[in-house]
Amino acid sequence: MRLVILGGPGAGKGTQANKLCNYFQIPLVSIGDILREAIAAETKLGKKAQPYVAKGELVPDMTMIKFVRDRLLQPDTKNGWLLDGYPRTAFQAEELDFLLDHLQQKLDWAIFLNVPEDVLIQRCKNREYRRTDDEPEIVKRRIDLFNQRTIPLLEYYEYYQRQRLISVHGEQTPEAIFQEVLTQIKTQ
Ligand code: AMP
């Protein structure tokens, strides 16, 4: 199973990503977590990403594309994976398709957690584990970028990728959201 999960900041991507990875027994590739770890460890990737992540900006596509390509060529992702937080731009989505074509693999589903903007803002404020990029002005920037750069991917996965999109209302309980995703995967 090969999945990507899309949603604004605070949409619940991490929670659903963990549940889905457990259920399908696939490795989780959480780009946000990888970047935060790389920044803390001051690796080359971390040093490149730090100024962007701190401001809520997107790390440049070329850096991300190269990283994801290398990550999906590792042996543990050979038979499936879930990408959390990737792709976030049309360019990243197209490059992911090129890579998958090249590997003769295909994406099974793009899962979109649909949560209204005011709820996203509130959730980032209330997050138990506060992140430095959860400050209100930075959350605002992350939501703007999500609307401008990532929302267009919904159309991409719905129409250009032959109905690969699963869209779920993200205001239900985590378990209800998870069950709805599973039902859609099984019935489509
Ligand atoms: P997240 O934990 O998914 O909210 O990601 C945290 C931050 O990491 C984002 O605000 C961006 O700065 C950066 N980031 C995560 N995924 C990507 C991506 N696919 N492309 C560019 N930047 C990203």
Side-chain angles (χ1 to χ4, degrees):
M1 182 65 77
R2 294 183 179 87
L3 303 170
V4 303
I5 189 157
L6 311 168
K13 298 189 295 292
T15 305
Q16 294 303 321
N18 277 301
K19 282 175 174 286
L20 288 161
C21 284
N22 255 331
Y23 184 87
F24 289 112
Q25 290 295 298
I26 47 177
L28 168 65
V29 180
S30 164
I31 301 301
D33 285 350
I34 289 166
L35 291 176
R36 279 183 288 277
E37 278 163 25
I39 290 168
E42 298 183 14
T43 64
K44 203 171 148 201
L45 173 69
K47 284 183 189 154
K48 239 187 212 169
Q50 192 278 334
Y52 299 96
V53 175
K55 284 185 262 170
E57 298 293 333
L58 293 176
V59 177
D61 279 338
M62 292 317 286
T63 304
M64 294 312 311
I65 286 164
K66 186 175 172 305
F67 175 80
V68 168
R69 187 182 57 213
D70 291 348
R71 184 65 189 84
L72 296 188
L73 291 172
Q74 300 292 313
D76 68 317
T77 44
K78 203 164 159 252
N79 297 317
W81 36 258
L82 184 153
L83 277 173
D84 169 2
Y86 192 95
R88 264 175 151 101
T89 67
F91 191 38
Q92 291 179 5
E94 283 168 0
E95 287 293 324
L96 179 62
D97 285 339
F98 284 135
L99 173 65
L100 293 179
D101 268 357
H102 175 73
L103 297 173
Q104 295 184 312
Q105 296 176 354
K106 70 173 189 51
L107 181 72
D108 290 286
W109 300 106
I111 298 162
F112 171 52
L113 303 179
N114 191 358
V115 177
E117 206 167 300
D118 53 328
V119 178
L120 293 178
I121 293 170
Q122 204 51 43
R123 284 197 190 162
C124 287
K125 249 190 217 160
N126 297 341
R127 249 203 255 260
E128 259 168 56
Y129 160 66
R130 272 315 275 288
R131 293 168 22 177
T132 47
D133 60 351
D134 278 341
E135 294 306 320
E137 327 77 80
I138 298 177
V139 168
K140 170 91 184 60
R141 178 65 184 148
R142 289 164 62 208
I143 290 176
D144 285 349
L145 279 172
F146 176 72
N147 289 331
Q148 289 163 22
R149 308 293 304 276
T150 310
I151 287 287
L153 299 188
L154 302 181
E155 199 168 313
Y156 179 79
Y157 285 118
E158 177 72 358
Y159 299 108
Y160 295 90
Q161 288 286 316
R162 302 172 301 280
Q163 294 167 4
R164 293 290 90 186
L165 184 71
I166 285 178
S167 183
V168 177
H169 281 287
E171 283 183 276
Q172 317 167 65
T173 62
E175 190 52 31
I177 296 169
F178 177 59
Q179 291 305 331
E180 196 178 324
V181 171
L182 286 187
T183 304
Q184 290 207 42
I185 287 179
K186 285 174 188 162
T187 53
Q188 290 201 25

